[in-house]
Amino acid sequence: GAVVSQHPSWVICKSGTSVKIECRSLDFQATTMFWYRQFPKQSLMLMATSNEGSKATYEQGVEKDKFLINHASLTLSTLTVTSAHPEDSSFYICSAPGTGGAKLFFGSGTQLSVL
Amino acid sequence: QQQVKQSPQSLIVQKGGISIINCAYENTAFDYFPWYQQFPGKGPALLIAIRPDVSEKKEGRFTISFNKSAKQFSLHIMDSQPGDSATYFCAARLNTDKLIFGTGTRLQVFP
């Protein structure tokens, strides 16, 4: 199946700094990618839809100025958590639909810890 | 109306037993219903999926049963193994590829 690579796997940062998370589709092109957030023992909550060459679409309640999304190419989307605070600590996961759009493939996730 | 309700929250099954997880939805616009398996610290992995025009789909030990009129679908894991211990999420897709996830079921299979 299609492979979605996410990097880094985990990151620890100081409060007030920014963190960038990368999501790459390795063997297919993705005009759309999705970013999810997951708190411990909870479900995945969709944060935003990343669209190649255009602005991301954010879900209700997600601060677009805090969670910057860039989808500059057909294989790469990035999520930047700006001015991170401890409450931003979470597991962030990206996903992309495979060829034909029927299946959604997920990256391995990024555990962000803000001190 | 975009919610997907999942139960039970947790499930303990003995090795060799059948694990059953149920999901229900309201939005008839959903057109694809996948199940994902997630191990701690990892992203979800697609397990099996079904479309609403099919009542049952089986892949190895995993079976999805789909009841369109009741707006319910379930995952059956036959001959459950300790390696199946994970969190399982049902999901429903709108035609924009956006997935709405259930709340998850933590499955523990004991030897």
Side-chain angles (χ1 to χ4, degrees), chain A residues 96-108:
Chain A
T99 304
K103 296 182 179 181
L104 200 61
F105 297 94
F106 284 81
S108 55

Side-chain angles (χ1 to χ4, degrees), chain A residues 14 23 31 42-43 48 57 60 67 69 82 85 87-88 93-94 101 103 108 115:
Chain A
K14 291 183 178 180
C23 182
T31 55
Q42 292 190 24
S43 188
T57 305
Q60 191 173 12
F67 298 100
I69 291 174
T82 63
H85 290 282
E87 57 265 31
D88 299 324
I93 313 170
C94 68
K103 296 182 179 181
S108 55
L115 304 178

Side-chain angles (χ1 to χ4, degrees), chain A residues 32-53:
Chain A
T32 301
M33 289 187 178
F34 301 95
W35 287 95
Y36 290 84
R37 182 174 183 177
Q38 185 179 33
F39 290 107
K41 297 184 180 180
Q42 292 190 24
S43 188
L44 288 81
M45 299 303 296
L46 180 64
M47 297 175 65
T49 301
S50 170
N51 304 297
E52 188 268 333

Side-chain angles (χ1 to χ4, degrees), chain A residues 34 36 38 42-44 46 59 91 93 97 101-104 106-108, chain B residues 32 36 38 41-44 46 51 89 93 96-99 101-103:
Chain A
F34 301 95
Y36 290 84
Q38 185 179 33
Q42 292 190 24
S43 188
L44 288 81
L46 180 64
E59 296 299 303
F91 193 56
I93 313 170
K103 296 182 179 181
L104 200 61
F106 284 81
S108 55
Chain B
Y32 177 71
Y36 285 85
Q38 185 181 30
K42 302 294 183 182
L46 179 64
R51 295 190 185 276
F89 292 96
R93 188 190 73 171
T96 57
D97 288 331
K98 182 187 292 190
L99 277 183
F101 282 85
T103 48

Side-chain angles (χ1 to χ4, degrees), chain B:
Chain B
Q1 202 183 22
Q2 287 198 3
Q3 283 186 335
V4 178
K5 296 180 180 179
Q6 183 172 346
S7 63
Q9 188 174 13
S10 63
L11 182 60
I12 300 174
V13 173
Q14 201 161 13
K15 179 183 176 182
I18 303 173
S19 303
I20 302 174
I21 305 171
N22 301 298
C23 284
Y25 64 98
E26 288 295 325
N27 192 341
T28 56
F30 290 136
D31 64 353
Y32 177 71
F33 300 87
W35 284 89
Y36 285 85
Q37 180 189 58
Q38 185 181 30
F39 292 104
K42 302 294 183 182
L46 179 64
L47 198 59
I48 186 172
I50 198 167
R51 295 190 185 276
D53 54 348
V54 177
S55 61
E56 185 176 282
K57 183 174 182 180
K58 183 176 180 179
E59 290 184 1
R61 296 185 294 111
F62 302 94
T63 300
I64 299 178
S65 296
F66 191 88
N67 186 329
K68 188 174 181 178
S69 60
K71 298 179 188 175
Q72 296 175 348
F73 58 110
S74 60
L75 175 69
H76 292 61
I77 305 175
M78 311 300 287
D79 187 26
S80 299
Q81 300 296 312
D84 296 331
S85 297
T87 299
Y88 292 80
F89 292 96
C90 63
R93 188 190 73 171
L94 292 170
N95 55 14
T96 57
D97 288 331
K98 182 187 292 190
L99 277 183
I100 308 298
F101 282 85
T103 48
T105 297
R106 187 184 176 200
L107 171 65
Q108 297 178 76
V109 181
F110 286 93

